[in-house]
Amino acid sequence: MREGDGEIDAAARGALPTLVEQADVLGAVHAHTTDSDGTATLAEMAAAAKAMGWSLLGIADHSAVAAYAHGLDAERLRAQGVEIAAHNANGGTPLLLRGLEADILSDGTLDLPEDVPLDFVVASVHSSFRQGVDAQTSRLVRAVSRGRGTILGHPTGRLLLAREGYAVDMEAVLQAAAKSGAAVEINAHPFRLDLDWRWVRRAVALGVPLSIGPDAHEPAGLADVRWGIGIARKGWAAAKDVLNTKPWPWWS
């Protein structure tokens, strides 16, 4: 928080927030398995989350349009849902949540199969990075306007030291999320750290729920949540601002 952006005055008033800590985190969503482009099975990812002491893990393999990542069509997604339901019914720990990392298509619609029950959707851009700022903003606004149960994944698409984020009016996107009840991810992968901490602070001010997601493609990747916690703290986020500090369900 040492950025000369009001923290001294806030401290003088006794108004600094109690920042989120790793001990507050009960689990995370946005984990991939061998069903798409992960390197570990669903059972192996669940075991890794259990070893970390987590009580929940959200599986979010890629959607069908991401053919390069062996994305799931409706049939394969249903089959994965059956496996998740069996794990939970048998008292498996942690609780597994049924999700999907659904591509945000160029017009802002989501690559979601019909009639497949999901607990959450991570909506992410993986293509058409060069759209103009107005088109890209409209695209993301439409995606987050889907509302509760939707988490905007790696919101600017940046890859640190490799790719700048796409041109987008993030203020407009956060305003739309605040209105709809959608959440925004702090992607904790060390090559992303996206949402940037400056926008984290704005999201907190607007009351936009945050999800610290590891974007894990292997068991060790779950531990990357710690980097997302650092970004959340730098953005003045308290535990109450972060979905994965709360017991499931997050949306009623």
Side-chain angles (χ1 to χ4, degrees), residues 1-247:
M1 295 171 66
R2 297 177 183 177
E3 293 291 337
D5 192 22
E7 68 274 12
I8 302 301
D9 289 342
R13 300 193 311 273
L16 286 177
T18 300
L19 301 179
V20 62
E21 299 180 359
Q22 186 150 347
D24 296 320
V25 172
L26 303 180
V29 302
H30 201 167
H32 297 265
T33 75
T34 49
D35 287 338
S36 66
D37 61 345
T39 65
T41 65
L42 189 150
E44 289 168 337
M45 294 299 284
K50 180 178 181 179
M52 293 179 64
W54 286 1
S55 60
L56 62 88
L57 176 66
I59 304 299
D61 279 306
H62 286 281
S63 63
V65 75
Y68 60 89
H70 198 220
L72 278 66
D73 59 16
E75 182 179 356
R76 293 173 56 225
L77 186 58
R78 286 192 191 95
Q80 185 184 75
V82 169
E83 185 179 358
I84 289 173
H87 167 93
N88 292 337
N90 291 330
T93 53
L95 176 71
L96 295 182
L97 307 179
R98 300 164 298 173
L100 184 70
E101 184 173 18
D103 271 38
I104 303 174
L105 305 180
S106 59
D107 64 353
T109 58
L110 302 187
D111 181 35
L112 282 174
E114 295 182 3
D115 302 323
V116 180
L118 295 171
D119 295 315
F120 69 94
V121 173
V122 176
S124 303
V125 168
H126 292 115
S127 62
S128 301
F129 293 105
R130 296 179 182 175
Q131 286 185 335
V133 62
D134 290 343
Q136 198 72 269
T137 301
S138 294
R139 180 186 188 187
L140 268 64
V141 165
R142 183 174 183 181
V144 300
S145 294
R146 183 175 178 269
R148 295 162 70 85
T150 306
I151 301 168
L152 179 61
H154 41 75
T156 73
R158 75 180 186 182
L159 291 175
L160 297 175
L161 305 179
R163 183 178 72 205
E164 294 291 331
Y166 36 73
V168 64
D169 181 350
M170 189 52 64
E171 175 68 21
V173 175
L174 293 178
Q175 291 275 1
K179 182 177 179 180
S180 73
V184 171
E185 180 182 67
I186 299 176
N187 189 292
H189 193 287
F191 287 170
R192 290 191 183 272
L193 302 182
D194 182 16
L195 194 62
D196 183 89
W197 67 267
R198 298 163 185 84
W199 286 115
V200 169
R201 188 169 176 188
R202 182 58 178 153
V204 168
L206 290 171
V208 176
L210 299 166
S211 173
I212 301 175
D215 202 352
H217 289 70
E218 67 287 319
L222 296 176
D224 285 341
V225 161
R226 66 186 184 274
W227 308 124
I229 294 167
I231 296 299
R233 289 169 61 85
K234 193 167 179 64
W236 295 42
K240 65 180 177 59
D241 303 311
V242 178
L243 287 177
N244 40 314
T245 66
K246 309 174 192 299

